[in-house]
Amino acid sequence: MVLSMERWVGKVAIVTGASSGIGAAIAQRLVENGVIVVGLARRSEAIEKLARTLSDKKGKLYAVKADLSKEEDIKNAFKWTSENVGPVHILVNNAGIRNRTSLIDGDSEKWRATLNVNVIALCIATREAIRIMRKNDIDGHIIHINSVAGHKVPNIPNLDVYSASKYAVTSLTETLRQEINALKLKIKITSISPGVVDTPIFDEAYRQKETIKETLANRSLRAEDIADGTHYVLSTPPHVQVHELMIKPINELD
Ligand SMILES: NC(=O)c1ccc[n+]([C@@H]2O[C@H](COP(=O)([O-])OP(=O)(O)OC[C@H]3O[C@@H](n4cnc5c(N)ncnc54)[C@H](OP(=O)(O)O)[C@@H]3O)[C@@H](O)[C@H]2O)c1
């Protein structure tokens, strides 16, 4: 199999949650490979800051402010991209939150917020991307940033609906694949499922807990490792589809 990013040079990618962690690393890697990236997040100023550091690279990074819990923001971001940059070829559904409440006495607003961003926003963005790809006859690629927690429920406290939201992503990957097949489209769908990645999703207070401190120090991935995974699945030839890519740090306990 010949791996190459050449077919994506000068093409448009949308990366959700490009202001931090894994999304920022993926956006950076795509720009380095000549892709025109539109990064979506509420903190668009963080994406603009990243864009300035990439000004000498082959591709380009644009920042669009969007709260993905609002359908209008997602639609507007896709419209802005089509009108100002071009039709989307790659969508990386990366944005995600982990709110750390419980099921027994948890805060239902936090459950809603997690499901809204991790599941509903991913579905809306996917729908918008596929509409544009079909209209423009684009053999695009949709990548869902899932989690190992979307395949096995880890025994860690305050997981609340997070793992359920990622199980939904596993299921949505397969359902989308079936819909794409039924329509005989050449659009690829890939789920990438990381283990623990040292990113700001672990806030400072959480980092002080002994168990997570030890895990982050000795058994964690870096955001760039997931960007490597994204690079790999995008580099495959048109007839190859990586359906699921699970990436774990060596010695992960779960
Ligand atoms: N870190 C890990 O151990 C790990 C493991 C497996 C899977 N993952 C998954 O990887 C993805 C990225 O996580 P990360 O670790 O890189 O976390 P992170 O550093 O906290 O980044 C999360 C990103 O999501 C965006 N986001 C959250 N809510 C949003 C909203 N309402 N509207 C727009 N953007 C929103 C954030 O942007 P703004 O705050 O600027 O809006 C930020 O860019 C998530 O789907 C996560 O579940 C992470």
Side-chain angles (χ1 to χ4, degrees):
M1 177 164 64
V2 179
L3 297 174
S4 168
M5 283 292 284
E6 211 40 49
R7 64 188 282 229
W8 303 118
V9 172
K11 302 294 194 295
V12 177
I14 291 181
V15 179
T16 70
S19 61
S20 171
I22 295 169
I26 291 171
Q28 173 165 346
R29 183 63 58 85
L30 290 172
V31 170
E32 285 165 356
N33 279 280
V35 180
I36 315 299
V37 179
V38 178
L40 274 47
R42 291 164 300 184
R43 289 170 294 159
S44 53
E45 63 285 355
I47 306 176
E48 281 159 9
K49 193 173 164 199
L50 175 63
R52 286 194 287 277
T53 69
L54 302 174
S55 57
D56 61 338
K57 304 295 180 205
K58 253 170 95 182
K60 195 171 167 55
L61 175 60
Y62 293 91
V64 171
K65 192 176 185 68
D67 180 345
L68 298 173
S69 61
K70 297 180 178 147
E71 181 160 356
E72 269 320 290
D73 277 20
I74 304 175
K75 286 183 174 169
N76 287 339
F78 276 82
K79 190 166 180 282
W80 183 91
T81 303
S82 290
E83 290 173 358
N84 295 281
V85 191
V88 62
H89 285 62
I90 298 167
L91 168 66
V92 184
N93 279 311
N94 161 78
I97 50 176
R98 201 187 137 196
N99 262 323
R100 293 193 185 85
T101 178
S102 68
L103 290 180
I104 288 182
D105 60 359
D107 175 345
S108 41
E109 276 314 307
K110 288 186 174 173
W111 299 341
R112 257 188 215 102
T114 303
L115 293 170
N116 225 342
V117 174
N118 296 12
V119 181
I120 301 296
L122 173 143
C123 291
I124 296 170
T126 301
R127 181 192 65 201
E128 297 303 307
I130 291 185
R131 268 186 192 155
I132 294 165
M133 289 172 187
R134 291 185 76 188
K135 192 169 158 216
N136 293 280
D137 204 16
I138 292 167
D139 294 344
H141 199 147
I142 312 282
I143 298 173
H144 294 337
I145 302 301
N146 192 346
S147 169
V148 293
H151 303 271
K152 178 174 181 273
V153 181
N155 187 10
I156 50 178
N158 293 337
L159 206 55
D160 63 274
V161 301
Y162 179 79
S163 189
S165 77
K166 294 302 186 179
Y167 266 78
V169 174
T170 301
S171 157
L172 291 165
T173 304
E174 180 56 18
T175 308
L176 182 65
R177 194 184 70 81
Q178 291 172 6
E179 286 193 17
I180 287 171
N181 280 355
L183 293 171
K184 296 190 170 52
L185 304 176
K186 297 293 179 198
I187 298 168
K188 294 188 190 181
I189 166 70
T190 300
S191 154
I192 297 184
S193 300
V196 173
V197 189
D198 189 351
T199 73
I201 207 169
F202 301 105
D203 60 36
E204 283 314 317
Y206 192 68
R207 277 168 188 273
Q208 295 318 314
K209 293 185 190 294
E210 277 316 310
T211 45
I212 191 67
K213 210 189 258 181
E214 199 276 330
T215 299
L216 289 175
N218 302 315
R219 281 183 288 273
S220 66
L221 298 161
R222 290 183 290 277
E224 294 72 28
D225 300 323
I226 313 309
D228 287 341
T230 308
H231 183 112
Y232 163 60
V233 303
L234 285 169
S235 298
T236 55
H239 71 287
V240 175
Q241 170 164 268
V242 179
H243 185 64
E244 172 63 49
L245 182 66
M246 189 175 282
I247 311 175
K248 290 185 173 198
I250 194 155
N251 298 138
E252 188 164 83
L253 294 179
D254 252 321

Coordinates of all heavy atoms in Angstrom, one line a residue, residues 108-150:
S108 N -27.9 17.1 35.5 CA -28.4 16.7 34.2 C -28.0 17.7 33.1 O -27.9 17.4 31.9 CB -29.9 16.5 34.2 OG -30.5 17.5 35.0
E109 N -27.8 19.0 33.5 CA -27.3 20.0 32.5 C -26.0 19.6 31.9 O -25.7 19.8 30.8 CB -27.3 21.4 33.1 CG -28.6 22.1 33.1 CD -29.3 22.0 31.7 OE1 -28.7 22.4 30.7 OE2 -30.5 21.6 31.7
K110 N -25.1 19.0 32.8 CA -23.8 18.6 32.4 C -23.9 17.4 31.5 O -23.1 17.2 30.5 CB -22.9 18.3 33.6 CG -22.5 19.6 34.3 CD -21.5 19.3 35.4 CE -21.0 20.6 36.0 NZ -20.1 20.3 37.2
W111 N -24.8 16.5 31.8 CA -25.0 15.3 30.9 C -25.4 15.8 29.5 O -24.9 15.4 28.5 CB -26.2 14.4 31.4 CG -26.0 13.8 32.7 CD1 -24.8 13.6 33.4 CD2 -27.0 13.2 33.6 NE1 -25.0 13.0 34.6 CE2 -26.4 12.8 34.7 CE3 -28.4 13.1 33.4 CZ2 -27.1 12.1 35.8 CZ3 -29.1 12.5 34.5 CH2 -28.4 12.0 35.6
R112 N -26.4 16.7 29.5 CA -26.9 17.3 28.2 C -25.8 17.9 27.4 O -25.7 17.7 26.2 CB -28.0 18.3 28.5 CG -29.3 17.8 28.2 CD -30.4 18.8 28.3 NE -31.6 18.1 28.9 CZ -32.0 18.3 30.1 NH1 -31.4 19.1 30.9 NH2 -33.0 17.6 30.5
A113 N -24.9 18.7 28.1 CA -23.9 19.4 27.4 C -22.9 18.4 26.8 O -22.5 18.6 25.6 CB -23.1 20.3 28.4
T114 N -22.6 17.4 27.5 CA -21.6 16.4 27.0 C -22.2 15.7 25.7 O -21.6 15.5 24.7 CB -21.3 15.3 28.0 OG1 -20.8 16.0 29.2 CG2 -20.3 14.3 27.5
L115 N -23.5 15.3 25.8 CA -24.1 14.6 24.7 C -24.3 15.5 23.5 O -24.2 15.1 22.4 CB -25.5 14.0 25.2 CG -25.3 12.8 26.2 CD1 -26.7 12.4 26.8 CD2 -24.7 11.6 25.5
N116 N -24.6 16.7 23.8 CA -24.8 17.7 22.8 C -23.5 17.9 21.9 O -23.6 17.9 20.7 CB -25.1 19.1 23.4 CG -26.2 19.8 22.7 OD1 -26.6 19.4 21.6 ND2 -26.8 20.7 23.4
V117 N -22.4 18.1 22.6 CA -21.1 18.3 21.8 C -20.6 17.0 21.3 O -20.2 16.9 20.1 CB -20.1 19.0 22.7 CG1 -18.7 19.1 22.0 CG2 -20.5 20.4 23.1
N118 N -20.5 16.0 22.1 CA -19.8 14.7 21.7 C -20.6 13.9 20.7 O -20.1 13.1 19.9 CB -19.6 13.8 22.9 CG -18.6 14.5 23.9 OD1 -18.3 15.6 23.8 ND2 -18.1 13.7 24.9
V119 N -22.0 14.1 20.7 CA -22.8 13.2 19.8 C -23.6 14.1 18.8 O -23.4 13.9 17.6 CB -23.8 12.3 20.6 CG1 -24.6 11.5 19.7 CG2 -23.0 11.5 21.7
I120 N -24.4 15.0 19.3 CA -25.3 15.7 18.3 C -24.5 16.6 17.4 O -24.8 16.6 16.2 CB -26.4 16.5 19.1 CG1 -27.2 15.6 20.0 CG2 -27.3 17.3 18.1 CD1 -28.0 14.5 19.3
A121 N -23.5 17.3 17.9 CA -22.7 18.2 17.1 C -22.0 17.4 16.0 O -21.9 17.8 14.9 CB -21.8 19.1 17.9
L122 N -21.5 16.3 16.4 CA -20.8 15.4 15.5 C -21.7 15.0 14.4 O -21.3 14.9 13.2 CB -20.2 14.2 16.3 CG -19.6 13.0 15.5 CD1 -18.4 12.5 16.3 CD2 -20.6 11.9 15.3
C123 N -23.0 14.6 14.7 CA -23.9 14.2 13.7 C -24.3 15.4 12.7 O -24.3 15.2 11.5 CB -25.2 13.7 14.3 SG -25.0 12.2 15.1
I124 N -24.4 16.6 13.3 CA -24.8 17.8 12.5 C -23.6 18.1 11.5 O -23.8 18.3 10.3 CB -25.2 19.0 13.4 CG1 -26.4 18.7 14.2 CG2 -25.4 20.2 12.5 CD1 -26.7 19.7 15.3
A125 N -22.4 18.1 12.1 CA -21.3 18.5 11.3 C -21.1 17.4 10.1 O -20.8 17.8 9.0 CB -20.0 18.6 12.1
T126 N -21.3 16.2 10.5 CA -21.2 15.1 9.5 C -22.2 15.3 8.4 O -21.9 15.2 7.2 CB -21.3 13.7 10.1 OG1 -20.3 13.6 11.2 CG2 -21.2 12.6 9.2
R127 N -23.4 15.6 8.8 CA -24.5 15.8 7.7 C -24.1 16.9 6.8 O -24.2 16.8 5.6 CB -25.8 16.1 8.5 CG -27.0 16.3 7.5 CD -28.2 16.8 8.3 NE -27.9 18.1 8.8 CZ -28.6 18.7 9.8 NH1 -29.6 18.1 10.4 NH2 -28.3 20.0 10.2
E128 N -23.7 18.0 7.4 CA -23.4 19.2 6.6 C -22.2 18.9 5.7 O -22.2 19.3 4.5 CB -23.0 20.4 7.5 CG -24.1 20.9 8.4 CD -25.4 21.3 7.6 OE1 -25.3 22.1 6.7 OE2 -26.5 20.8 8.0
A129 N -21.2 18.2 6.2 CA -20.0 17.9 5.3 C -20.4 17.0 4.2 O -20.0 17.2 3.0 CB -18.9 17.2 6.2
I130 N -21.2 16.0 4.4 CA -21.6 15.0 3.4 C -22.5 15.7 2.3 O -22.3 15.4 1.1 CB -22.2 13.7 4.0 CG1 -21.1 13.0 4.7 CG2 -22.8 12.9 2.9 CD1 -21.4 11.6 5.3
R131 N -23.4 16.6 2.8 CA -24.2 17.3 1.8 C -23.3 18.1 0.8 O -23.5 18.1 -0.4 CB -25.0 18.4 2.5 CG -26.4 17.9 2.9 CD -27.2 19.0 3.5 NE -28.4 18.5 4.1 CZ -29.1 19.0 5.1 NH1 -28.7 20.2 5.6 NH2 -30.1 18.5 5.6
I132 N -22.3 18.7 1.4 CA -21.3 19.5 0.5 C -20.5 18.6 -0.4 O -20.3 18.9 -1.6 CB -20.5 20.4 1.4 CG1 -21.3 21.5 2.1 CG2 -19.4 21.1 0.6 CD1 -20.7 22.2 3.2
M133 N -20.0 17.5 0.2 CA -19.2 16.5 -0.6 C -20.1 16.0 -1.8 O -19.6 15.9 -2.9 CB -18.7 15.4 0.3 CG -17.6 15.8 1.3 SD -17.3 14.5 2.4 CE -16.1 15.3 3.6
R134 N -21.3 15.6 -1.5 CA -22.2 15.0 -2.6 C -22.4 16.1 -3.6 O -22.4 15.8 -4.8 CB -23.5 14.5 -2.0 CG -23.3 13.3 -1.1 CD -24.6 12.8 -0.6 NE -25.3 12.1 -1.7 CZ -26.6 11.6 -1.5 NH1 -27.3 11.9 -0.4 NH2 -27.1 11.0 -2.5
K135 N -22.7 17.3 -3.2 CA -23.1 18.4 -4.2 C -21.9 18.6 -5.1 O -22.1 19.0 -6.3 CB -23.4 19.6 -3.4 CG -24.1 20.7 -4.2 CD -24.6 21.8 -3.3 CE -24.7 23.1 -4.1 NZ -24.5 24.2 -3.3
N136 N -20.7 18.5 -4.6 CA -19.5 18.8 -5.3 C -18.7 17.6 -5.8 O -17.6 17.7 -6.3 CB -18.5 19.7 -4.5 CG -19.1 21.0 -4.2 OD1 -19.1 21.9 -5.0 ND2 -19.8 21.2 -3.0
D137 N -19.4 16.4 -5.7 CA -18.8 15.2 -6.2 C -17.4 14.9 -5.6 O -16.5 14.6 -6.3 CB -18.8 15.2 -7.7 CG -18.7 13.8 -8.3 OD1 -19.1 12.9 -7.6 OD2 -18.4 13.7 -9.5
I138 N -17.3 15.1 -4.3 CA -16.0 14.9 -3.6 C -15.9 13.6 -2.9 O -16.8 13.2 -2.1 CB -15.8 16.1 -2.6 CG1 -15.7 17.4 -3.3 CG2 -14.6 15.8 -1.7 CD1 -15.8 18.6 -2.4
D139 N -14.9 12.8 -3.2 CA -14.6 11.6 -2.4 C -13.9 12.0 -1.1 O -12.7 11.9 -1.1 CB -13.8 10.6 -3.3 CG -14.5 10.1 -4.5 OD1 -15.8 10.3 -4.5 OD2 -13.9 9.6 -5.4
G140 N -14.6 12.4 -0.2 CA -14.0 13.0 1.0 C -13.7 12.0 2.1 O -13.9 10.8 1.9
H141 N -13.4 12.5 3.3 CA -13.0 11.6 4.4 C -13.6 12.2 5.7 O -13.3 13.4 6.0 CB -11.5 11.4 4.5 CG -11.1 10.2 5.3 ND1 -10.0 9.5 5.0 CD2 -11.6 9.6 6.4 CE1 -9.8 8.5 5.8 NE2 -10.8 8.5 6.7
I142 N -14.4 11.5 6.4 CA -14.9 11.9 7.7 C -14.1 11.1 8.8 O -14.1 9.9 8.7 CB -16.4 11.6 7.9 CG1 -17.2 12.0 6.7 CG2 -16.9 12.1 9.2 CD1 -17.5 13.4 6.5
I143 N -13.6 11.8 9.8 CA -12.9 11.2 10.9 C -13.5 11.6 12.2 O -13.6 12.7 12.5 CB -11.4 11.6 10.9 CG1 -10.7 11.1 9.6 CG2 -10.6 11.0 12.1 CD1 -9.3 11.6 9.4
H144 N -14.0 10.5 12.9 CA -14.5 10.8 14.3 C -13.4 10.5 15.3 O -12.8 9.4 15.3 CB -15.7 9.8 14.6 CG -16.9 10.0 13.8 ND1 -17.2 11.2 13.1 CD2 -17.9 9.2 13.5 CE1 -18.4 11.0 12.5 NE2 -18.8 9.8 12.7
I145 N -13.1 11.5 16.2 CA -12.2 11.2 17.3 C -13.0 10.7 18.4 O -13.8 11.4 19.1 CB -11.4 12.5 17.7 CG1 -10.6 13.1 16.5 CG2 -10.4 12.1 18.9 CD1 -9.5 12.2 15.9
N146 N -12.9 9.4 18.5 CA -13.7 8.6 19.5 C -12.8 8.4 20.7 O -12.1 9.3 21.1 CB -14.0 7.2 18.8 CG -15.0 6.4 19.4 OD1 -15.3 6.6 20.6 ND2 -15.5 5.4 18.7
S147 N -12.8 7.3 21.4 CA -12.0 7.0 22.6 C -12.0 5.5 22.9 O -12.9 4.8 22.4 CB -12.6 7.8 23.8 OG -12.1 7.4 25.0
V148 N -11.0 5.1 23.6 CA -11.1 3.7 24.1 C -12.3 3.5 24.9 O -12.9 2.4 25.0 CB -9.8 3.3 24.9 CG1 -8.6 3.2 24.0 CG2 -9.6 4.1 26.1
A149 N -12.8 4.6 25.5 CA -14.0 4.6 26.3 C -15.3 4.4 25.5 O -16.4 4.2 26.0 CB -14.1 5.8 27.2
G150 N -15.1 4.4 24.2 CA -16.2 4.1 23.3 C -16.3 2.6 22.9 O -17.1 2.2 22.1

